[in-house]
C-alpha cells in the first residue's frame, strides 16, 4: 500500500527490472486502505471506560495481557536505561543540567511531543546497541522502542489499545492544553485544604522551585557592584586602650564596639576564635528575639529614627493643634523625610523618580497645611505658606483670586500686603505698570483708612506707619526701575508738601474720605467745592473760594481733597525755584492770591536735544541705546509749563513727562512720627543720588538693587584708614540706566539736576534743627566731596572748579550760627582741603576746630572722631612709621586725653605723656564697657562714645606700641560684647532701629580690619590674622558690604580657593542676606579673569594652555542656587550679572533663555530690556514691542529714531 493515500492506485511491479525503483519509498506494506474508515468509526463509537476518574498520580499497574512484543520492548528499554545512567555519570555538568531542563520542560507539552522526543532518543540508542551481536535479532524485529503499528498486532481491532507511561491528567482535569490555564502547583495529601496542615503540602512546578547551581564568576574590585559597596556604612569598631606590653606583637587586634570578654575555649570552640553568633549556629540555635529585632544596618537605624520623629510630630500636633510654629516645623520636616529614600522606597539618582519625590513632598506638605488651617482658621502665616506652596499646582488667575480673598479678610496686615504686591509685581503674564501702580495706591489707601480708624472692623496693628513708609519707598523705586522717573519724583514732592507744609486748618482731618472708595482709578464720590483755575488768568485779582465747611455733617472732607487744588494750581513744588509750600499758598489764596515775580534775567536756557545722535554711522541699536540713556539722564524731572514763558500743556513734546494728580493721589499717606519724617527727606535725597546714610528696609532692599557698585572699593585700597564710605549699596540714583560694569561714582547730574538738589536742601534745612539739621548739612557736603573724589580719580579737568564750589559750600555752612561748633562739618572741611593737596591749610582747619574745645576730653564722640581723622591722615601721609607724621598723630591722640585745648604740634611727645594718655584711655574704656554691658537699652550717645573711644585707643596703641597691642584692645572689646550679640545677627543697617551693641561691635570690627590692612601695606605682616578677623566678623554680619569687599580682595591674592569656597558655602547655607551669594559670584569671576589674563597673549583670544578647572560651571551653579530664594529671584542686579556672564561666554541661545527667565521674575526692570538690546541687537524690535506692551517707559520710539537718522 502506498504511504500516502494519493498513491493508493499506483500498480506495484516486481522488484526486478522495474525502472521506477526509486519510488518504492512511497509504498507501505503495513497500511491497509479498508481499515482507515473502520478505525475512525471504532474510535468514535468506543464507550467511555468505567471506573474512578484519572488522578494526577502516575500509573503504577500494567495490563496483564501484554503482547510478547511489548515484553521484549520492556526488557530492551530497561537495559538501555541502565547503560544510560552509567554514561551520564561521566558527562559534563553543563550537559547534564541542559538535558534535565529539557526533560522537565517537555513534561508540560502535549503527549505527541513527548513521544516523538523519547522515540528519537530510543532510535539513536538502538542504532548504537545494534552493533552488539547479542541484540541484533531484537533490534531487527522491532522497528522502534515505543511505537507499534496496528497492522503488526495480531488481535481484534476493537480490543487493541496502548498504555501511555507518561500521561498528563491535566488535559482531562482542566479541559485545555494551554499551559497558562493549568495550575503550576500540585497538592500532596488528601485532607481538606486548611484542616490539617501537617498532612497536606503544595509543591510548585517550574524552574523557580528547584535549586539552580549557577556558576558565580569572580567579580573584580572595579565593577559597578563592588564600587557601590564603598558608599555603604561599615560597622563601628573600637580599639580599647590596653596597657603597653614589653613583648612585640605581630598584629594589632581590632575589636568591635560591643566586644566584651573573649569566649572561653570549649569543645565547639577549641581555639576560642568564634564569636557568639557563630557558636550558636554550630549548636543549631538562632539569635535572640530582641537581637533579631534590632536594626543592623545604618539605613535601618535612620529609617527607624525618622519614623520615630514622624510619630512624635503627629503626637505633638494632635496634642497642641494651636501651635503654629509646630505645624510649620512639621511642614519643613517633610524635606528631611524625602531626602531619605529608604523610608518611602524612592531611589536616588533617577530624574523621573526625583520629580515624583518632589510632587509627593508638595502633596504631603499641602495636606499638613490644610489640617493646620482647619485647626487655626485665622492664621495668616499658614495661609501664606499654603499660597506659596500652591504656586506649583494652581494657575496664576486662581492664585490671584486666592490672594484677593486673603487680603479682603486681613486688610490691616502690612506683611500680607507686601507679599501680595511682590506676587503681583513678579507675574509676567498679568503684569503691567499701570496695574501695579494702582495696586500700590490701593494698598496705601486701605492702610491709611485702617490707621485713621475709618475701617472699624480691623484695628491698626503695631508698626503700621513704618510699614506704609517702606511700601511708599518700594513704589517709588518700582516707578524708577520701570522708567517712570517723573511719577516717582512727583510722589516725593507731593509727600514733602503733604507732610511738612500742611495747613493747620486741615491737620485734624482724615487722610482720605471715609465715604469714598477707589474703584478702577476713580473716586466713587466727589466733594463739591470750587477749584482755582489759574491757567487762563494768572494775574487775576482777588478771587473768592468757597471751601467746604470742616464741621458740616455728611460732607466728609479729607486732606487729599484739599491738596488737589494746590497741586493743579501751577505753584512751584519742592526742588523747583521759588517753592514755598502748600501752607503758604493756601494762606495767600485766602488773602487774595500771589504777587507775580518776574523771572531773573540771568537764567540760562535748558540744554537742548541737539547732541542726542552724535554719530549716525553707528548701528541703529547703538544709536537708540545712547539716545535713550541720554534722555533718561536729562528728563527725570516732571515737565511743567513755565508761566513766565507763556507755555501751556500742549507745548510738551512728550505727554508722558506730565504727572497728573490722579497718578499720585492714592499713594499719599500721613507720617506723624518725627523720625519717619526725617527718613522721608533722607530717602528723597538718596533717590536723587545724595549719600544720606539711609539704609533701605529688608523688604525692598534687594528689589531696588540693580547696579554693581557694591563691588567698587573706590579709594579704600589706597587709603584704608581715611577712605570715604559712600554706601552706594547697589541702588542706582534717578536717571541712571548705565551698562553693567560702569564704575559708579558721584558724577552728579546735569546743571538742572544739580540746581534741583540745591533747591531741595534750601527748602528742607529750615524744617529741622539740632542733630537732624547737622546730618543734612553733613550729607550735602559729603555729596560735593564725593564729586571731588570722582574728579581726582578720573583726572577730570573740572577738579579745580568743583573744589572751589565745594569749599564755598563748606564755608557758607560753617558761617551759620547753628553750625559754628559742629565738629562733623569742620572735619569734612578739613578733609576736603587735605584731598585737594592743601595739607597746611587742612592742619590749620583741624587745629582751629580743636582749639574751640573746652574740658570735654573723651566724653564728646564728635571730638574723638575729629581727632581720629586728623591722626589717621597724618599716619597715612608717610609710609615710614618712625617719621614726623607719626609723631604728629601721637601728639593729636595724646592731647585728646588732656583737659586743656589741643595746641599746635611742637615736637616729639615725651614718654611720660604717652603713659598718662594710655592710663586715661584704659580707665575710660573700662567705664564705657561697664555702662554698655549692663543692658542694650543704653542711650545712643553712650554707644557712639564707646565706638569713638575704642577707635582712638586702638590707633594710639598701634602708633605707640604696635599692631599686636591694637589687636589686644579689639579682642578685649569683642570678648565683652560678643555674648550680648545674637549669632548671625543682621547688622543694624536699618536706620530706624536704635544704635545698640551689634552696631558697636560692627564698627569696632571695621576699625580692626582697616588697621590690619594699613599695617600690611606699610610693613610685612602675615595675611592669616586679617583673614580670621574678617571671617569672624562676617559670621556675625553677613550683610556688611564693606567687610565682604575686603574679604574678597584679600582672598583673590591667594592661589588656593578651597578655603574661600568652604567659607562661602557655610555662610550661604545659614545666612538670609543676598550679599554672600553676590560676593561669592564676584570672587569666582575675579579668579576666572585672573586665569584668562594668563591665557591671553597681548590681549588677544584665549589660548587653552591651562585647563578650565570648572570655574564656568561653578559660577553658573552659584547663580542658580542664589536664585532659589525669593530675594534672589526678584533681584534685578543678580539677573543682570547672570546675563552678562553668559553673554561673555559666547552662548547666545542660552543667554536668551536666561533673559526671558529673568522677565518672568522681574518684568518691571527696564535695565534688563536695555541689556537685552545691547546683547541681542537682532531682537530690538521684539524687545521694544514687549516694553510697550508692559507699559514700560520708552522715551525714544523707533519712529522718532528713524526721523532723527534721516535729518
Amino acid at each position: 500500500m502506498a504511504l500516502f493515500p494519493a498513491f493508493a492506485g499506483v500498480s506495484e511491479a516486481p522488484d526486478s527490472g522495474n525502472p521506477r525503483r526509486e519510488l518504492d519509498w512511497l509504498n507501505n506494506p503495513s497500511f491497509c486502505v479498508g481499515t482507515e474508515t473502520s478505525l475512525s468509526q471504532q474510535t468514535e463509537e468506543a464507550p467511555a471506560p468505567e471506573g474512578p476518574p484519572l488522578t494526577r498520580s502516575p500509573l503504577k499497574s500494567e495490563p496483564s495481557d501484554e503482547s510478547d512484543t511489548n515484553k521484549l520492548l520492556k526488557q530492551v528499554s530497561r537495559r538501555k536505561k541502565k547503560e544510560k545512567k552509567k554514561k551520564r555519570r561521566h558527562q559534563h555538568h553543563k550537559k547534564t543540567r541542559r538535558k534535565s531542563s529539557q526533560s522537565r520542560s517537555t513534561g508540560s507539552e502535549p503527549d505527541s511531543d513527548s513521544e516523538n522526543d523519547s522515540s528519537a532518543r530510543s532510535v539513536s540508542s538502538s542504532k548504537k546497541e545494534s552493533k552488539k551481536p547479542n541484540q541484533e535479532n531484537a533490534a531487527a524485529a522491532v522497528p522502534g522502542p515505543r511505537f507499534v503499528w496496528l497492522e503488526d498486532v495480531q488481535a481484534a481491532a476493537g480490543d487493541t489499545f496502548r498504555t501511555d507511561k507518561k500521561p498528563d491528567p491535566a488535559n482531562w482535569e482542566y479541559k485545555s492544553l494551554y499551559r497558562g490555564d493549568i495550575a503550576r502547583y500540585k497538592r500532596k495529601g488528601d485532607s481538606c485544604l486548611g484542616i490539617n496542615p501537617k498532612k497536606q503540602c503544595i509543591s510548585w512546578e517550574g524552574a523557580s522551585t528547584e535549586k539552580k547551581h549557577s556558576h558565580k564568576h569572580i567579580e573584580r574590585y572595579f565593577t559597578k557592584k563592588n564600587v557601590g559597596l564603598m558608599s555603604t556604612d561599615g560597622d563601628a569598631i573600637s580599639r580599647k586602650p590596653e596597657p603597653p606590653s614589653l613583648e612585640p606583637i605581630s598584629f594589632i587586634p581590632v575589636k568591635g564596639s560591643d566586644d566584651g570578654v573573649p569566649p572561653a575555649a570549649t569543645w565547639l570552640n577549641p581555639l576560642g576564635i568564634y564569636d557568639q553568633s557563630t557558636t550558636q549556629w554550630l549548636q543549631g540555635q538562632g539569635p535572640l528575639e530582641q537581637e533579631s529585632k534590632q536594626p543592623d544596618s545604618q539605613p535601618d537605624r535612620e529609617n527607624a529614627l525618622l519614623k520615630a520623629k514622624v510619630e512624635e510630630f503627629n503626637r505633638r500636633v494632635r496634642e497642641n493643634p494651636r501651635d503654629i510654629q509646630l505645624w510649620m516645623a512639621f511642614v519643613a520636616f517633610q524635606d528631611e523625610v524625602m531626602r531619605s529614600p529608604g523610608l518611602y522606597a524612592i531611589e536616588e539618582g533617577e530624574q523621573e523618580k526625583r520629580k515624583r519625590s518632589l510632587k509627593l513632598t508638595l502633596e504631603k506638605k499641602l495636606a499638613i497645611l490644610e489640617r493646620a488651617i482647619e485647626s487655626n482658621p485665622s492664621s495668616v502665616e499658614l495661609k501664606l505658606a499654603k499660597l506659596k506652596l500652591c504656586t506649583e499646582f494652581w494657575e496664576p488667575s486662581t492664585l490671584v483670586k486666592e490672594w484677593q480673598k486673603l487680603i479682603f479678610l486681613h486688610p490691616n496686615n502690612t506683611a500680607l500686603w507686601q507679599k501680595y504686591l511682590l506676587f503681583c509685581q513678579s507675574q509676567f503674564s498679568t503684569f503691567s505698570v499701570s496695574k501695579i501702580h494702582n495696586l500700590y495706591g490701593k494698598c496705601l489707601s486701605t492702610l491709611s483708612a485702617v490707621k485713621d480708624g475709618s475701617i472699624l472692623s480691623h484695628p491698626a496693628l503695631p508698626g503700621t506707619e513704618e510699614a506704609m513708609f517702606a511700601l511708599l519707598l518700594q513704589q517709588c523705586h518700582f516707578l524708577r526701575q520701570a522708567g517712570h522717573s517723573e511719577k516717582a519724583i512727583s510722589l516725593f514732592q507731593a509727600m514733602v508738601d503733604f507732610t511738612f507744609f500742611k495747613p493747620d486748618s486741615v491737620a485734624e482731618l482724615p487722610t482720605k474720605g471715609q465715604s469714598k472708595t477707589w474703584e478702577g482709578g476713580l473716586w466713587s464720590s466727589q466733594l463739591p467745592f470750587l477749584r482755582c483755575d489759574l491757567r487762563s488768568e494768572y494775574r487775576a485779582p482777588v478771587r473768592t473760594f468757597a471751601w467746604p465747611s470742616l464741621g458740616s455733617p455728611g460732607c466728609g472732607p479729607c486732606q487729599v481733597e484739599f491738596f488737589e487744588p494746590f497741586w493743579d494750581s501751577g505753584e512751584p513744588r519742592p526742588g523747583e525755584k521759588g517753592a514755598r509750600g502748600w501752607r503758604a499758598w493756601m494762606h495767600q489764596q485766602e488773602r487774595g492770591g500771589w504777587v507775580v515775580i518776574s523771572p531773573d534775567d540771568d537764567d540760562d536756557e535748558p540744554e537742548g536735544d541737539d547732541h542726542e545722535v552724535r554719530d549716525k554711522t553707528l548701528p541703529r541699536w547703538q544709536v537708540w541705546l545712547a539716545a535713550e540713556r541720554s534722555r533718561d539722564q536729562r528728563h527725570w524731572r516732571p515737565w511743567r509749563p513755565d508761566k513766565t514763558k507763556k507755555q501751556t500743556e500742549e507745548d510738551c513734546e512728550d505727554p508722558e513727562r506730565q504727572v497728573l494728580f490722579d497718578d499720585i493721589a492714592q499713594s499719599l499717606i500721613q507720617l506723624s512720627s518725627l523720625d519717619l519724617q526725617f527718613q522721608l527727606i533722607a530717602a528723597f535725597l538718596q533717590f536723587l543720588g545724595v549719600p544720606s546714610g539711609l539704609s533701605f528696609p529688608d523688604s525692598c532692599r534687594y528689589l531696588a538693587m540693580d547696579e554693581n557698585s557694591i563691588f567698587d572699593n573706590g579709594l579704600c585700597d589706597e587709603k584704608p584708614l581715611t577712605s570715604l564710605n559712600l554706601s552706594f549699596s547697589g541702588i542706582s540714583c534717578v536717571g541712571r540706566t548705565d551698562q553693567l560694569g560702569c564704575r559708579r561714582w558721584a558724577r552728579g547730574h546735569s546743571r538742572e539736576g544739580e540746581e534741583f538738589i540745591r533747591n531741595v536742601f534750601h527748602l528742607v534745612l529750615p524744617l529741622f534743627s539740632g542733630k537732624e539739621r547737622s546730618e543734612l548739612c553733613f550729607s550735602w557736603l559729603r555729596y560735593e566731596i564725593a564729586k571731588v573724589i570722582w574728579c581726582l580719580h578720573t583726572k577730570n579737568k573740572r577738579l579745580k572748579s568743583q573744589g572751589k564750589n565745594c569749599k564755598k559750600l563748606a564755608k557758607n555752612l560753617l558761617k551759620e550760627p547753628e553750625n559754628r561748633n559742629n565738629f562733623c562739618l569742620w572735619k569734612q572741611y578739613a578733609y576736603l582741603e587735605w584731598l585737594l593737596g592743601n595739607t597746611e591749610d587742612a592742619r590749620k582747619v583741624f587745629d582751629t576746630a580743636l582749639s574751640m574745645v573746652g574740658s570735654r576730653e573723651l566724653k564728646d564722640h564728635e571730638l574723638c572722631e575729629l581727632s581720629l581723622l586728623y591722626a589717621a591722615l597724618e599716619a597715612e601721609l608717610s609710609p615710614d612709621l618712625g617719621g614726623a607724621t607719626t609723631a604728629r598723630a601721637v601728639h593729636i591722640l595724646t592731647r585728646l586725653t588732656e583737659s586743656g585745648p589741643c595746641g599746635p604740634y611742637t615736637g616729639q611727645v615725651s614718654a611720660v605723656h604717652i603713659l598718662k594718655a594710655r592710663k586715661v584711655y584704659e580707665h575710660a574704656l573700662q567705664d564705657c564697657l561697664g555702662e554698655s554691658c549692663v543692658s542694650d537699652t543704653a542711650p545712643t550717645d553712650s554707644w557712639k562714645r564707646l565706638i569713638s573711644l575704642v577707635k582712638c585707643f586702638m590707633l594710639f596703641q598701634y602708633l605707640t606700641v604696635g599692631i599686636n597691642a591694637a589687636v589686644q584692645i579689639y579682642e578685649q572689646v569683642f570678648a565683652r560684647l560678643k555674648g550680648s550679640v545674637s549669632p548671625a545677627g543682621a547688622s543694624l543697617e536699618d536706620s530706624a532701629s536704635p544704635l545698640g551693641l551689634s552696631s558697636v561691635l560692627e564698627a569696632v570690627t571695621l576699625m580692626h580690619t582697616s588697621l590690619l590692612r594699613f599695617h600690611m601695606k606699610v610693613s610685612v605682616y602675615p595675611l592669616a590674622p586679617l583673614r580670621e578677623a574678617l571671617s569672624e566678623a562676617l559670621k556675625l554680619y553677613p550683610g556688611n558690604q564693606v567687610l565682604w569687599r575686603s574679604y574678597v580682595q584679600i582672598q583673590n591674592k591667594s592661589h588656593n580657593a578651597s578655603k574661600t569656597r568652604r567659607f562661602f558655602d557655610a555662610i550661604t547655607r545659614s545666612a538670609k542676606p543676598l550679599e554672600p551669594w553676590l560676593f561669592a559670584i564676584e570672587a569666582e569671576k575675579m579668579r576666572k579673569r585672573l586665569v584668562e589674563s594668563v591665557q591671553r597673549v597681548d590681549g588677544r583670544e584665549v589660548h587653552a594652555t591651562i585647563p578650565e578647572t570648572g570655574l564656568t560651571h561653578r559660577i553658573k551653579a552659584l547663580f542658580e542656587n542664589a536664585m532659589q530664594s525669593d530675594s534672589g529671584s526678584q533681584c534685578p542686579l543678580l539677573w543682570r550679572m547672570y546675563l552678562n556672564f553668559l553673554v561673555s561666554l559666547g552662548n547666545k541661545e542660552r543667554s536668551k533663555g536666561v533673559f526671558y527667565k529673568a522677565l518672568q521674575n522681574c518684568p518691571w526692570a527696564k535695565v534688563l530690556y536695555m541689556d537685552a538690546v545691547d546683547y541681542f541687537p537682532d531682537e530690538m524690535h521684539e524687545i521694544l514691542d514687549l516694553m510697550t506692551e508692559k507699559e514700560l517707559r520708552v522715551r525714544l520710539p523707533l519712529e522718532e529714531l528713524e526721523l532723527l537718522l534721516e535729518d
Side-chain angles (χ1 to χ4, degrees), residues 1154-1173:
V1154 170
F1155 165 65
Y1156 288 110
K1157 187 177 178 181
L1159 295 187
Q1160 295 291 332
N1161 294 274
C1162 304
W1164 69 89
K1166 181 181 177 181
V1167 287
L1168 284 174
Y1169 297 87
M1170 298 186 70
D1171 289 345
V1173 173

Side-chain angles (χ1 to χ4, degrees), residues 17 58 68 272 319 407 447 481 589 642 703 753 863 876 1029 1080 1104 1152:
D68 297 338
E319 295 176 355
I407 287 293
L447 292 177
Q481 290 177 325
Q589 288 296 329
D642 191 355
L703 288 173
L863 177 61
E876 287 181 345
K1152 288 181 182 179

Side-chain angles (χ1 to χ4, degrees), residues 3 115 172 370 477 527 738 861 931 940 1058:
L3 181 62
E115 291 174 358
W172 293 90
E370 289 176 352
H477 282 278
L527 181 66
D738 297 330
H861 71 276
E931 295 176 1
T940 305
S1058 58

